[in-house]
Amino acid sequence: MATEQTADLEGYDELETRIERITNVGNAAGVLRWDQEVIMPEGGTPARAKQLSTLSSLSHELLTEDRTGELLETLEGDEVSLSGDQKAVVREVRRQYDRATSVPQELVEEISETTSNAHPTWMEAREKDDFSIFEPTLEKLVELKKEYAAHIDPDEDPYAVLFAEYEPYLDLETAESVLEELRDELVPLLEAIDESDADIETDAFAGTFDDDDQEALARDVLDSLGYDWERGRLDTAPHPFSSGTQFDARVTTRFDESDLLGSITSTIHEFGHANYTLGLPDEGYGTPLGEARDLTVHESQSRLWENHIGRSRPFWEHFLPIARERFPELENVTAEEAYQSANQVYDDNLIRVEADELTYHLHIVVRFEIERDLIAGDLDVADVPEAWNDKYEEYLGVRPETDAEGCLQDIHWSHGSFGYFPTYSLGSVLAAQLYAAAEAELGDLEERTRAGEFEDLNDWLREVIHAHGKRYTTPELVEHSTGEPYMAEYFIDYVTTKYGELYDLEAY
Amino acid sequence: MATEQTADLEGYDELETRIERITNVGNAAGVLRWDQEVIMPEGGTPARAKQLSTLSSLSHELLTEDRTGELLETLEGDEVSLSGDQKAVVREVRRQYDRATSVPQELVEEISETTSNAHPTWMEAREKDDFSIFEPTLEKLVELKKEYAAHIDPDEDPYAVLFAEYEPYLDLETAESVLEELRDELVPLLEAIDESDADIETDAFAGTFDDDDQEALARDVLDSLGYDWERGRLDTAPHPFSSGTQFDARVTTRFDESDLLGSITSTIHEFGHANYTLGLPDEGYGTPLGEARDLTVHESQSRLWENHIGRSRPFWEHFLPIARERFPELENVTAEEAYQSANQVYDDNLIRVEADELTYHLHIVVRFEIERDLIAGDLDVADVPEAWNDKYEEYLGVRPETDAEGCLQDIHWSHGSFGYFPTYSLGSVLAAQLYAAAEAELGDLEERTRAGEFEDLNDWLREVIHAHGKRYTTPELVEHSTGEPYMAEYFIDYVTTKYGELYDLEAY
């Protein structure tokens, strides 16, 4: 029996070593992609594509080797007694292994090639405002991804299989009911806001703001929130993102002279992502225990900091004096005016990435409903523009006049990513639930924010979320951190209270 | 017969695909190392070390797989007819394969571990000026590298085997005779300079120069020499280097407010390296045909630009007006004074990296003689400091008073690199031979330099050196580019003429 156990642990160690190598290859690819997005000279593209392709295929080969499957089978056997953490590692590797081995290599390559070519095609279609240019490609991607889903699980709704690539543990029914709830609550809330006579400040950040000073202020923001510069950097990228590991998680942002608020909120958002990564346990590096729990939880971290902190009244009471040091022209702006400007609702906005905190989710609902119907075969690709425009009219009260401003605005489908969009809203919903739990646990978060003290909140997030990596599934992690199942109620409360007060809404 | 040939080409394609993957892994590691040296936050070190270690072991595994050996054997067979380029690829892969497979993995790992630990030990010894701290480590490294050499070729002089890691095709006898020639010519030349009454300007670049303006000037230098910014960048690093591929070859430099000349010459030196890399053929990417011909040739490119261009009189006639735009305080400096200051010989310098163009090679000769004797067992590690100091006294006329300023000054031995130093001098020698050949071919290079026209020289270097990658061995490449075998004569001519004139030496 003792011998048996030793053998099992050896098997576990071997699996861990394999997974560490795969993780290292993946993280190396992450550095290469960061470099490409942020600092690589343009001419480097052809070689970089080849380097990334080699790393990706090596990683796939290491994962799908027969030995990985053998080790998993042994470790899943009844006679093996693993610790809870070891079981979690086996569960996560099994998931990756099953997905990777169930899809034929030719299909993986066909999808990879199709998405490579899809990007320029989508760009061209958007530039020329002509959906018909992108239509055949989108058609092909829908077919390929359905085929892909069928290989992974022929008995499951293919959209649910695709959604699970981005959020493996919240099932699609949960996602669907949360999105329906958002739609049902936000549509009337936005109508009430539209009819409100409240005179809220919208121009606190009007003006032209020097890029270098904006960068200095972005560093102030990161300092203020407690970003660990020993393990991070701030750079600029056309499409801000954050990436890295618990040892080196970098933030990017962008500066537009006419949009000071945009660079501040984008920096805070990416801080939330990087801060989660930095909170993952050092000792878990290389295994799922040292990796973030997928997109819903990741987005909950960025949204919590961006919205619950960065768009709050006490934050602006704290931060406005700091901003005035860089931009004396803000001298006559009050914290209340800054707060109102950071939370104005645009009732005629067509573009997701420019949306406010409320309408954002209706943009997501539109995309979710369309891609779900596309994958189910209930909507033809040719009919996407009309369906898109109809839904915008119905939910947001505005109708796009062009496809460039409509169904061609997002890059995601050209990547073959169907099922990604919902995680943006699911993350926001979780952010509200987490913030409420933190408030219940710590008390008076507003007072701390007003004083610029974010350590308690951050320590709490580290303890209940970051430190666990992928130890728990998403529902388990929500239960562990908040004591309750995942639910939309806290988000609905948050937005109705906040916007009811801001827009002086009687019914809220 | 036709079938036979098709099979051979398939084998060649398979080998090429294998080698491309290995190259991509190596280039990915190059990006990670660049990142680490230039921009990585300090906290990233532990994870980066693991990522690099995984890439290194994957690369080793891919290279040493049995299939690589089988393909090589087939392709080396008499019945296969390969093109000249294909034969060159097979020759280079065979070399790599034989070296990689002949050394046991445990020894590779022991060397790797020992050098990892050697670095901090060497740092500590240098800081405390105490050779005894580093002595046991150096002893171990000498033993391990002798063992390493014995695995590769037990019948060959182990120092020759180690030297061949850095310069595989110029044999050690050639290297040795060139270094002897340098010693025999330079020692009396330096004595003559020491005795010269010539009053050469040394302070043209005295003063304090702002770092940002130095950076702008470094960009001017690169612009002037024709650096391709579409495929490159300029950054700073504590120890300047250049790295990358023909699609993306980056330069680093450093700025010291009291050393303007140092940043200019360092930038030109690294330009020479990057410019070589950028000249490698795009279509050869991934195979030896798209890779640089080892260290002698690489160093010939950096030294040609640094010394034959950057330390020439016409260069300063061209460049001084550009430098004055950034630094108006150079208004009263003449091109002649700048030229003299860039070529002053320091007769009391103990530090290699601060050496002038002449004494530099005596620093190399000292190191070469010591490491050759160490590996041969003719010198005990304990006796290195005394041997070092004696040789400095004999060849350079100065005796280090501390080991920190003596045998502990260089990082190379702590890396386990024995046989690397000679390539610095061998490259300088080749630079002079190439410059003379270019002059013979193109005529009047000085006139072009004075006019800031570097295109003809660069085109010629591209054509005769860069475009060939590893197609030729080093001696073949020298013959191909200059029409003559490798020789020290051009270098000796160059320095005696230049310094004879500068220092008004009768005998020269």
Side-chain angles (χ1 to χ4, degrees), chain A residues 52-53 63 77 126 140 171-172 216 222 233 239 274 340 365 375 394 406 441 444 467 472 488:
Chain A
L52 283 168
S53 164
L63 177 62
R126 196 172 66 154
K140 186 163 182 201
D171 54 51
L172 185 62
L222 293 173
R233 294 176 52 89
H239 302 282
Q340 291 181 5
V365 167
I375 299 295
E394 186 184 349
E441 176 76 20
D444 229 345
Y472 302 121

Short mmCIF file of all heavy atoms in Angstrom, two decimals, chain A residues 52-53 63 77 126 140 171-172 216 222 233 239 274 340 365 375 394 406 441 444 467 472 488:
data_model
loop_
_atom_site.label_atom_id
_atom_site.label_comp_id
_atom_site.label_asym_id
_atom_site.label_seq_id
_atom_site.Cartn_x
_atom_site.Cartn_y
_atom_site.Cartn_z
N LEU A 52 5.51 32.05 -32.99
CA LEU A 52 4.31 31.76 -32.21
C LEU A 52 3.67 30.45 -32.66
O LEU A 52 3.15 29.68 -31.84
CB LEU A 52 3.32 32.92 -32.31
CG LEU A 52 3.68 34.12 -31.44
CD1 LEU A 52 2.84 35.34 -31.80
CD2 LEU A 52 3.51 33.79 -29.95
N SER A 53 3.69 30.21 -33.96
CA SER A 53 3.10 28.99 -34.47
C SER A 53 3.87 27.76 -33.96
O SER A 53 3.27 26.75 -33.56
CB SER A 53 3.08 29.07 -36.00
OG SER A 53 2.88 27.81 -36.55
N LEU A 63 0.99 18.51 -24.68
CA LEU A 63 -0.24 18.22 -23.95
C LEU A 63 -0.87 16.91 -24.40
O LEU A 63 -1.36 16.13 -23.58
CB LEU A 63 -1.24 19.38 -24.15
CG LEU A 63 -2.62 19.22 -23.51
CD1 LEU A 63 -2.51 19.09 -22.00
CD2 LEU A 63 -3.52 20.40 -23.87
N GLY A 77 -7.72 7.19 -10.82
CA GLY A 77 -8.15 5.89 -10.31
C GLY A 77 -8.51 5.92 -8.82
O GLY A 77 -8.04 6.79 -8.08
N ARG A 126 -14.93 46.19 -42.80
CA ARG A 126 -15.27 47.30 -41.91
C ARG A 126 -14.89 48.64 -42.56
O ARG A 126 -15.67 49.59 -42.53
CB ARG A 126 -14.55 47.13 -40.56
CG ARG A 126 -15.15 48.02 -39.48
CD ARG A 126 -14.58 47.71 -38.13
NE ARG A 126 -13.17 48.05 -38.08
CZ ARG A 126 -12.51 48.38 -36.96
NH1 ARG A 126 -13.16 48.39 -35.80
NH2 ARG A 126 -11.22 48.65 -36.97
N LYS A 140 -18.00 30.45 -43.02
CA LYS A 140 -17.07 29.35 -42.87
C LYS A 140 -16.66 29.15 -41.40
O LYS A 140 -16.60 28.02 -40.91
CB LYS A 140 -15.82 29.60 -43.73
CG LYS A 140 -14.87 28.43 -43.73
CD LYS A 140 -13.85 28.47 -44.85
CE LYS A 140 -12.97 27.23 -44.79
NZ LYS A 140 -11.70 27.43 -45.50
N ASP A 171 -22.63 27.18 -16.23
CA ASP A 171 -23.23 26.61 -17.43
C ASP A 171 -24.00 27.65 -18.22
O ASP A 171 -24.28 28.75 -17.75
CB ASP A 171 -24.09 25.39 -17.09
CG ASP A 171 -25.11 25.72 -16.05
OD1 ASP A 171 -25.82 26.72 -16.24
OD2 ASP A 171 -25.17 24.99 -15.03
N LEU A 172 -24.29 27.29 -19.47
CA LEU A 172 -24.89 28.25 -20.38
C LEU A 172 -26.26 28.71 -19.91
O LEU A 172 -26.64 29.86 -20.13
CB LEU A 172 -24.98 27.66 -21.80
CG LEU A 172 -25.48 28.61 -22.87
CD1 LEU A 172 -24.55 29.81 -23.03
CD2 LEU A 172 -25.62 27.89 -24.22
N ALA A 216 1.89 60.33 -16.98
CA ALA A 216 2.28 60.55 -15.58
C ALA A 216 1.09 60.30 -14.66
O ALA A 216 1.22 59.67 -13.60
CB ALA A 216 2.82 61.97 -15.41
N LEU A 222 -1.98 54.09 -10.89
CA LEU A 222 -1.45 52.76 -10.53
C LEU A 222 -0.78 52.80 -9.16
O LEU A 222 -0.95 51.88 -8.35
CB LEU A 222 -0.50 52.26 -11.61
CG LEU A 222 -1.17 51.96 -12.96
CD1 LEU A 222 -0.13 51.63 -14.03
CD2 LEU A 222 -2.17 50.81 -12.85
N ARG A 233 4.89 46.80 -15.40
CA ARG A 233 5.26 47.95 -16.21
C ARG A 233 3.97 48.58 -16.74
O ARG A 233 2.94 47.92 -16.83
CB ARG A 233 6.02 47.54 -17.47
CG ARG A 233 7.36 46.94 -17.31
CD ARG A 233 7.91 46.52 -18.68
NE ARG A 233 7.86 47.59 -19.65
CZ ARG A 233 8.83 48.49 -19.84
NH1 ARG A 233 9.93 48.41 -19.13
NH2 ARG A 233 8.70 49.44 -20.74
N HIS A 239 -4.84 48.63 -28.59
CA HIS A 239 -5.97 48.02 -27.89
C HIS A 239 -5.46 47.57 -26.52
O HIS A 239 -4.85 46.51 -26.40
CB HIS A 239 -6.52 46.81 -28.66
CG HIS A 239 -6.96 47.16 -30.04
ND1 HIS A 239 -8.17 47.78 -30.27
CD2 HIS A 239 -6.36 47.03 -31.24
CE1 HIS A 239 -8.29 48.00 -31.58
NE2 HIS A 239 -7.20 47.55 -32.18
N ALA A 274 -4.32 42.90 -14.15
CA ALA A 274 -2.92 42.62 -13.78
C ALA A 274 -2.82 42.31 -12.28
O ALA A 274 -2.04 41.45 -11.86
CB ALA A 274 -2.04 43.82 -14.13
N GLN A 340 -20.07 62.61 -11.85
CA GLN A 340 -21.19 62.59 -12.79
C GLN A 340 -20.70 62.38 -14.23
O GLN A 340 -21.27 61.59 -14.99
CB GLN A 340 -21.99 63.90 -12.68
CG GLN A 340 -22.74 64.00 -11.35
CD GLN A 340 -23.56 65.29 -11.22
OE1 GLN A 340 -23.65 66.07 -12.16
NE2 GLN A 340 -24.15 65.48 -10.04
N VAL A 365 -25.82 41.69 -24.81
CA VAL A 365 -27.01 40.86 -25.03
C VAL A 365 -27.27 40.68 -26.54
O VAL A 365 -27.56 39.56 -27.00
CB VAL A 365 -28.25 41.47 -24.32
CG1 VAL A 365 -29.53 40.80 -24.81
CG2 VAL A 365 -28.11 41.34 -22.80
N ILE A 375 -25.00 29.83 -34.22
CA ILE A 375 -24.43 28.50 -33.98
C ILE A 375 -25.54 27.44 -33.94
O ILE A 375 -25.35 26.30 -34.38
CB ILE A 375 -23.62 28.47 -32.65
CG1 ILE A 375 -22.45 29.46 -32.71
CG2 ILE A 375 -23.10 27.06 -32.35
CD1 ILE A 375 -21.38 29.17 -33.74
N GLU A 394 -34.48 47.72 -30.73
CA GLU A 394 -35.38 47.26 -29.67
C GLU A 394 -34.81 47.50 -28.26
O GLU A 394 -35.50 48.00 -27.38
CB GLU A 394 -35.64 45.75 -29.86
CG GLU A 394 -36.68 45.21 -28.88
CD GLU A 394 -36.87 43.70 -29.02
OE1 GLU A 394 -36.36 43.11 -29.99
OE2 GLU A 394 -37.51 43.11 -28.11
N GLY A 406 -22.23 48.80 -37.01
CA GLY A 406 -23.11 47.75 -36.52
C GLY A 406 -22.34 46.47 -36.31
O GLY A 406 -21.35 46.43 -35.55
N GLU A 441 -17.99 42.19 4.64
CA GLU A 441 -16.90 41.64 5.43
C GLU A 441 -16.05 42.75 6.08
O GLU A 441 -15.69 42.67 7.24
CB GLU A 441 -16.02 40.78 4.51
CG GLU A 441 -14.79 40.20 5.15
CD GLU A 441 -15.10 39.01 6.07
OE1 GLU A 441 -16.19 38.43 5.90
OE2 GLU A 441 -14.27 38.71 6.95
N ASP A 444 -17.60 49.70 5.30
CA ASP A 444 -17.19 51.05 4.92
C ASP A 444 -16.07 51.15 3.89
O ASP A 444 -15.05 51.81 4.09
CB ASP A 444 -16.78 51.83 6.18
CG ASP A 444 -17.48 53.19 6.16
OD1 ASP A 444 -18.00 53.57 5.09
OD2 ASP A 444 -17.50 53.85 7.20
N ALA A 467 -5.58 34.05 -4.54
CA ALA A 467 -4.68 33.03 -3.99
C ALA A 467 -5.07 31.61 -4.41
O ALA A 467 -4.29 30.69 -4.28
CB ALA A 467 -4.66 33.12 -2.46
N TYR A 472 -10.61 26.10 -7.29
CA TYR A 472 -12.06 25.89 -7.32
C TYR A 472 -12.61 26.12 -8.72
O TYR A 472 -12.04 26.87 -9.50
CB TYR A 472 -12.74 26.87 -6.36
CG TYR A 472 -12.28 26.78 -4.92
CD1 TYR A 472 -11.73 27.89 -4.29
CD2 TYR A 472 -12.40 25.59 -4.21
CE1 TYR A 472 -11.30 27.81 -2.97
CE2 TYR A 472 -11.97 25.51 -2.90
CZ TYR A 472 -11.41 26.63 -2.28
OH TYR A 472 -10.99 26.55 -0.97
N ALA A 488 -27.35 37.61 -10.17
CA ALA A 488 -27.34 38.95 -10.76
C ALA A 488 -27.88 40.02 -9.82
O ALA A 488 -27.76 41.21 -10.09
CB ALA A 488 -28.16 38.95 -12.06
#
